[in-house]
Amino acid sequence: MLRAEGLSKRFGGLKAVQDVSFTHHQGEILAVIGPNGAGKTTLLNLLSGVYRPSAGRLHLMGRDVTALPMEARCHAGLGRAFQIVRPFPEMTVHENVTVGALFGKPGQRLPEARERAWALLDRTGLAAHADKAAHELTLLQDKRLEVARALATNPSVLLLDEVMAGLRPGEAQEAVALVRGVRESGVSVLFIEHIMPVVRDLADRVVVMDQGQVLAQGTYREVTADPRVVSAYLGTEEGLHA
């Protein structure tokens, strides 16, 4: 679904991402982990088109999208949910998701967009809150709305940036179930996360970053057994359960 080849990003003399390569397969949930400052969010910005790479190429479903802006990548099937949720606060929950449906497919008519929004509110557990203003939602509901808006763009690949951040353990498990449901609907998922039990429970494979580079790739068991990963990120065995 995604193939990154030597992606790099410089900000002046700072090498934020250096020569990152990986493959994201159809139907896969791929996690990107690493310490703060490892370059994870910069990588997501490169994938989604917020930044243009200083070097490297990105292919989406076999198509070179390196030069495409963010909206064109969205129309090509790449969706993103952000860590900091910023819905249109005075619009209703249903209206927020309808906007996503209208944006994601050029030429989409309003009745069809509204219908798609209703279906996604059902899927994400927000149907009962459809007529609420977005600013009335709880944090967990905000996270669900962010995912629903991203899914409304009809992506083949969904990028999630720390959607579990700030959630209580029970809420995080609800969010895990939501992400699994996204995969079951046919959408491949790439996510950034710091909560290692969530990574363990969700990820088919894991990419570990450190200082802007890929440190290790493999299954959860493989990367957490790698001494380089333990040293750079986990620190101790207890880090696996943090």
Side-chain angles (χ1 to χ4, degrees):
M1 301 302 285
L2 283 175
R3 187 172 78 252
E5 300 174 343
L7 284 181
S8 299
K9 182 63 180 178
R10 291 173 176 263
F11 297 99
L14 173 65
K15 298 177 181 179
V17 169
Q18 302 179 62
D19 195 29
V20 169
S21 298
F22 65 87
T23 301
H24 181 205
H25 303 292
Q26 185 172 6
E28 183 176 54
I29 298 180
L30 180 68
V32 178
I33 67 172
N36 290 331
K40 303 182 301 295
T41 296
T42 300
L43 175 63
L44 246 63
N45 285 335
L46 291 171
L47 299 179
S48 61
V50 176
Y51 299 147
R52 289 283 296 274
S54 305
R57 314 297 299 177
L58 177 68
H59 291 81
L60 172 65
M61 294 181 287
R63 176 186 179 188
D64 189 332
V65 296
T66 310
L68 292 185
M70 184 162 49
E71 65 273 15
R73 295 188 196 193
C74 178
H75 297 158
L78 188 61
R80 180 174 178 180
F82 290 82
Q83 177 184 1
I84 300 175
V85 181
R86 291 175 177 163
F88 300 105
E90 300 303 325
M91 294 173 65
T92 68
V93 171
H94 181 256
E95 288 168 342
N96 266 274
V97 181
T98 299
V99 168
L102 288 169
F103 177 83
K105 184 178 180 181
Q108 178 90 312
R109 299 179 60 188
L110 184 58
E112 287 79 10
R114 285 174 171 161
E115 184 176 348
R116 178 166 177 76
W118 277 117
L120 287 167
L121 291 179
D122 277 332
R123 190 194 303 179
T124 55
L126 288 172
H129 307 284
D131 294 327
K132 283 185 179 179
H135 69 79
E136 299 176 35
L137 298 182
T138 66
L139 178 60
L140 177 59
Q141 291 164 351
D142 268 339
K143 301 281 187 177
R144 289 179 177 271
L145 176 57
E146 182 71 2
V147 172
R149 287 200 304 173
L151 288 174
T153 67
N154 198 29
S156 298
V157 178
L158 180 61
L159 308 177
L160 302 176
D161 190 355
E162 295 196 50
V163 295
M164 313 293 176
L167 299 181
R168 296 188 293 270
E171 293 173 332
Q173 286 307 306
E174 289 185 45
V176 165
L178 176 61
V179 175
R180 285 180 177 148
V182 169
R183 191 254 294 275
E184 289 168 5
S185 73
V187 179
S188 304
V189 177
L190 185 154
F191 73 103
I192 290 175
E193 188 51 65
H194 279 294
I195 305 172
M196 294 306 292
V198 168
V199 176
R200 179 197 62 211
D201 292 346
L202 266 182
D204 299 309
R205 286 190 306 120
V206 181
V207 174
V208 185
M209 293 186 66
D210 185 38
Q211 299 182 26
Q213 299 177 300
V214 172
L215 183 63
Q217 299 188 50
T219 65
Y220 177 86
R221 178 173 293 183
E222 288 168 344
V223 300
T224 55
D226 189 321
R228 297 172 302 166
V229 176
V230 173
S231 175
Y233 182 44
L234 300 176
T236 65
E237 181 66 24
E238 287 71 23
L240 298 178
H241 310 288

